[in-house]
Amino acid sequence: PVSETAGVELMCENGAVIQLRKKGMAPGTVVDVRDLFAPLPARRQFLRSPQEEAEECLRMLERYVVLWPLVSFEVVKDGRVVLRSSGGGDRLAAAGAVWGKEAWQLLPLHWEEGELAMEGLIAAPHQHRRHRDRQILGVLGRPVLSPALLSALDEAYAPYLATHLRGRHPWAVVDVRTDPRLIDANVHPSKLEVRFRNEAEVTAALVKAVRQTLQSRAPAAVWAAPSGGPARSLGAPPAEEGAGVERAD
C-alpha cells in the first residue's frame, strides 16, 4: 500500500517460498519470471518461439490495460518499452495506449440495471474490422472469452450494419459486472472461457446497453448516404442496401 514505508520482496522457486523480506522500492508491483516450466520439460516442449510467446503475453497485458485503467502498466521487451499506460483512470486513454489514435473515437459504455452492469467502450458502427482483435471482454475486470457475449455484440450492431458489412466486427471493450456466483469459470482448463448461469439475461442486457449507448452518444449521422440520399441517424438503422463506412484493416 502507498501508506507503507517499504515494499515486500517475495521469491519463490518451483512453488515454494524461499525468501520473504521488506525492501525499499517505488510504488507498484514488479514480477520477474525466469526459467518458466523448468521442472516441467513436458510443458516446455509445447512452447512456441520466443517471439510468438512474447506476442501472446503482450496481447494479454493489453486486455488488462483497458480493463484496469486505474492501474499503470509498462511493458519492456528487449530493453525497449512496447506498451505504457498512465493509470489515470481514463479508459479512453488506456485504449489509446493499446490501439493508437483511432481508439479516441470510441464511446463510453455505462449501463446498470439491478445487480448487472456493463462498463467499457464501444465504437460507432462505422468503426469495424474483419477480425475480433479490437474486441476485449472482461468479467469483474478479468479478461475472458465468451461466445455468448460475442454473439450478443453481433446482435446489438446487426440493425446498424448494411448487408455487405455483416461479418465485420465493431471495436468494443466490455466489462460485465455481476454476482460472481453466477459465473462458471471451469469451462476450460485455461480458465479464459466463462459461462453465465443467467446467460440469457446477460446477453440481452449487453444488446440493450450497446444500442442505448449508440442511440444516445454517437453522432447524429454516421452513415454514408445511399445513392445520394440523406444520411441516417442511429435512431433509425440503415436499410439493407444502405451503407456503413468500411474501414481498411
Side-chain angles (χ1 to χ4, degrees), residues 26-88:
T29 302
V30 178
V31 179
D32 185 5
V33 180
R34 302 182 184 183
D35 299 324
L36 188 63
F37 300 137
L40 300 168
R43 292 288 299 275
R44 295 191 67 171
Q45 68 179 338
F46 289 104
L47 292 177
R48 295 165 293 181
S49 70
Q51 177 65 27
E52 290 177 302
E53 294 294 339
E55 289 298 322
E56 186 63 28
C57 290
L58 182 59
R59 282 193 290 270
M60 178 57 73
L61 286 166
E62 288 173 347
R63 297 176 186 134
Y64 277 103
V65 167
V66 293
L67 289 172
W68 290 92
L70 278 168
V71 177
S72 174
F73 290 85
E74 181 176 271
V75 183
V76 179
K77 178 186 175 186
D78 297 330
R80 182 172 63 91
V81 176
V82 295
L83 176 63
R84 178 188 286 132
S85 66
S86 68

Side-chain angles (χ1 to χ4, degrees), residues 31 42 97 134 165 214:
V31 179
R134 294 296 185 272
L165 296 179
L214 291 177

Side-chain angles (χ1 to χ4, degrees), residues 50-202:
Q51 177 65 27
E52 290 177 302
E53 294 294 339
E55 289 298 322
E56 186 63 28
C57 290
L58 182 59
R59 282 193 290 270
M60 178 57 73
L61 286 166
E62 288 173 347
R63 297 176 186 134
Y64 277 103
V65 167
V66 293
L67 289 172
W68 290 92
L70 278 168
V71 177
S72 174
F73 290 85
E74 181 176 271
V75 183
V76 179
K77 178 186 175 186
D78 297 330
R80 182 172 63 91
V81 176
V82 295
L83 176 63
R84 178 188 286 132
S85 66
S86 68
D90 186 336
R91 201 183 301 271
L92 265 179
V98 172
W99 292 328
K101 62 182 181 181
E102 284 186 290
W104 289 92
Q105 303 175 47
L106 298 174
L107 310 170
L109 174 70
H110 303 291
W111 185 92
E112 185 173 355
E113 194 171 276
E115 295 185 353
L116 184 60
M118 307 280 174
E119 297 286 337
L121 302 166
I122 62 171
H126 68 276
Q127 194 174 1
H128 50 71
R129 290 173 67 86
R130 182 179 299 110
H131 305 293
R132 294 190 186 272
D133 57 346
R134 294 296 185 272
Q135 293 185 341
I136 291 178
L137 303 177
V139 174
L140 300 174
R142 184 169 72 87
V144 301
L145 299 176
S146 170
L149 291 180
L150 293 175
S151 294
L153 277 175
D154 291 341
E155 180 182 347
Y157 279 97
Y160 305 113
L161 295 179
T163 301
H164 73 286
L165 296 179
R166 299 288 167 82
R168 304 284 293 188
H169 306 291
W171 298 34
V173 177
V174 178
D175 189 16
V176 179
R177 299 281 168 170
T178 189
D179 186 337
R181 293 173 295 182
L182 300 176
I183 303 165
D184 181 4
N186 294 313
V187 179
H188 190 274
S190 69
K191 307 296 184 182
L192 269 179
E193 186 173 340
V194 298
R195 290 178 184 157
F196 300 91
R197 302 187 192 279
N198 57 340
E199 186 173 283
E201 179 185 352
V202 173

